[in-house]
Amino acid sequence: MTVPTRQPNTSRPYPIADHSASGQAPRSTANGWVPVIIAGVVAAFVIAIAGVISGLIVVGIRESSMPDTAPKPAASAPQASVPVIPPAAAVPSTIAARTSVASTPENLDPLVVQRGVVQVLGESYGQEDVREVKCPAGQPVEVGTVFDCTAKVDGIKKSVTITVTDLDGTYEVSRPH
């Protein structure tokens, strides 16, 4: 066993490095925990902000990938555009004349209007069970033309009002009544 070279310090029973001889500054001070606490609080704050940002990104990704199943409120009645058919008697025998008749159609195609009614009732009004849609033939493509189609909605016979809104064959479909 060796003999100690200096007397133990009774006020500090644990050995502490003495930097006075080497000229180095002491590594800790009486306030040594303050920087550690501040660093911990800053780190917790940064982690919280990063968590909120990543959460918002995940929610945004989920919402953008989810289909919209709720019916969309319509500011005005939903519209559909359908091809129109000319009357059979008006079809000329030459190609040039057919082109001019096709560019100015006279009547709506009732089968296409019926498919459009099913689509609009499902997408805009949330009606899932739409069957047996029947629309009258010979409806002219004139702005303001109004006619009714019948349909079975959830097994109940109802009607919808069709209103032609432009000369291209676009029309509005009312709620079933």
Side-chain angles (χ1 to χ4, degrees):
M1 188 145 126
T2 61
V3 179
T5 57
R6 64 182 172 139
Q7 289 291 337
N9 188 348
T10 56
S11 65
R12 292 188 200 166
Y14 303 105
I16 297 177
D18 186 15
H19 297 288
S20 60
S22 67
Q24 295 178 348
R27 292 189 190 175
S28 65
T29 63
N31 297 350
W33 286 105
V34 172
V36 173
I37 292 172
I38 291 173
V41 169
V42 169
F45 185 70
V46 169
I47 290 171
I49 290 175
V52 168
I53 291 172
S54 64
L56 292 174
I57 290 171
V58 168
V59 169
I61 291 171
R62 284 185 184 167
E63 286 180 356
S64 67
S65 66
M66 293 175 59
D68 185 17
T69 56
K72 299 171 194 146
S76 64
Q79 296 185 351
S81 181
V82 297
V84 290
I85 55 172
V91 177
S93 60
T94 65
I95 295 175
R98 269 183 230 204
T99 309
S100 64
V101 170
S103 65
T104 57
E106 296 180 15
N107 294 328
L108 293 171
D109 182 358
L111 297 176
V112 176
V113 174
Q114 290 168 186
R115 279 186 250 130
V117 167
V118 171
Q119 180 180 358
V120 169
L121 291 180
E123 291 177 2
S124 298
Y125 296 124
Q127 301 293 325
E128 303 269 335
D129 185 23
V130 180
R131 300 176 189 204
E132 299 179 27
V133 179
K134 295 195 182 0
C135 295
Q139 297 302 317
V141 179
E142 295 175 3
V143 176
T145 299
V146 178
F147 59 95
D148 286 336
C149 295
T150 60
K152 280 195 176 180
V153 179
D154 294 328
I156 300 170
K157 188 173 182 178
K158 296 187 176 188
S159 65
V160 293
T161 302
I162 308 297
T163 306
V164 178
T165 59
D166 66 27
L167 296 176
D168 293 329
T170 304
Y171 57 91
E172 293 178 352
V173 178
S174 72
R175 286 191 177 276
H177 52 275

